[in-house]
């Protein structure tokens, strides 16, 4: 395989995935996997493993940036994360018992719809309004939403980052920056769990060059996205998030149908 093509595809995939993670808490797998599968002919299982590995550091550096700017809810995010991880396994088990149908485009359509939502119905909740919610209500919401998100992710294998962002802003009433920061915090651990299991099963078939390039580019662009997002106004962040999500959805759909 031509190294120049590999470099270019990984750069584009890392750029899209990193900006999506840093700006909107989007999972890198939604961008990296289809590009690696389509353009580099990497087996789907290995492509997902590379995408999850790229997600770990990108989400971690994004979460650090949001936390540094006090836009991260560690307490409730940790509780939600535990239930997401548990019910992802439950969802995966249930999925193994039912007839398999392709649902690969679910997260892509969800990404686009959420993008339009931020463009036409921006999240303008303030931190003061968010903190007015009682701790017990937010705790209960974190548990229930963690169960729902985990089960859906395990059952269809997609949509985690977008599901969390949608739930945090629409159901739990989070301010947008705090929602993104909490989402990438949770994804750091969920992506690590998924990546570890993928590499434990199929590490001998992973292309090390593609893996390193994707991790590097996703990390760099996630840092850039998170840095800009934490300094933007709420209105600007809504618009930027909406545009990025819609564009990524269109691009990934185009890649899937090539």
């Amino acid at each position: 395989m031509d190294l120049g093509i590999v470099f270019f595809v990984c750069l584009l995939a890392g750029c899209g995935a990193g900006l999506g993670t840093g700006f909107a808490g989007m999972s890198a797998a939604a961008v990296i996997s289809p590009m690696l599968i389509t353009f580099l002919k990497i087996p789907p299982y290995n492509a997902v493993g590379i995408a999850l590995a790229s997600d770990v550091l990108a989400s971690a550096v994004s979460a650090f940036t949001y936390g540094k700017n006090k836009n991260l809810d560690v307490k409730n995010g940790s509780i939600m994360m535990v239930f997401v991880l548990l019910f992802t396994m439950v969802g995966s088990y249930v999925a193994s018992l039912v007839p398999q149908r392709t649902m690969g485009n679910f997260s892509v359509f969800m990404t686009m719809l959420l993008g339009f939502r931020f463009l036409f119905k921006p999240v303008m909740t303030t931190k003061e309004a968010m903190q007015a919610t009682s701790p017990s209500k937010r705790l209960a919401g974190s548990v229930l939403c963690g169960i729902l998100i985990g089960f859906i992710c395990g059952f269809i294998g997609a949509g985690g980052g977008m599901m969390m962002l949608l739930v945090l802003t629409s159901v739990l009433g989070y301010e947008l920056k705090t929602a993104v920061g909490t989402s990438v915090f949770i994804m750091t651990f969920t992506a690590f769990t998924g990546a570890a299991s993928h590499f434990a099963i199929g590490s001998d078939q992973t292309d090390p060059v593609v893996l390193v390039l994707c991790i590097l580019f996703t990390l760099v662009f996630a840092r850039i996205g998170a840095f800009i997002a934490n300094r933007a106004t709420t209105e600007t962040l809504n618009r930027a998030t909406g545009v990025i999500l819609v564009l990524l959805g269109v691009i990934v759909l185009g890649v899937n149908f090539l």
Side-chain angles (χ1 to χ4, degrees), residues 26 30 102-117 156 158-159 162-163 166 242 245-254 256-257:
M26 182 178 178
T102 179
M103 296 187 72
N105 289 327
F106 173 83
S107 62
V108 182
F109 285 114
M110 186 176 172
T111 297
M112 293 177 65
L113 289 175
L114 195 55
F116 284 120
R117 190 257 180 169
I156 67 172
M162 292 299 94
M163 281 291 295
L166 179 63
L245 292 179
V246 172
L247 284 177
L248 288 177
V250 170
I251 292 170
V252 175
L253 272 181
N256 285 339
F257 286 103

Side-chain angles (χ1 to χ4, degrees), residues 110-164:
M110 186 176 172
T111 297
M112 293 177 65
L113 289 175
L114 195 55
F116 284 120
R117 190 257 180 169
F118 284 120
L119 283 173
F120 299 109
K121 191 180 178 183
V123 177
M124 302 303 291
T125 306
T126 63
K127 286 190 176 182
E128 290 74 19
M130 184 186 82
Q131 291 168 354
T133 305
S134 67
S136 58
K137 183 178 179 181
R138 188 171 298 161
L139 174 63
S142 298
V143 172
L144 293 175
C145 292
I147 292 172
L148 177 64
I149 294 169
F151 183 83
I152 291 175
C153 292
F155 189 75
I156 67 172
M162 292 299 94
M163 281 291 295
M164 278 187 278

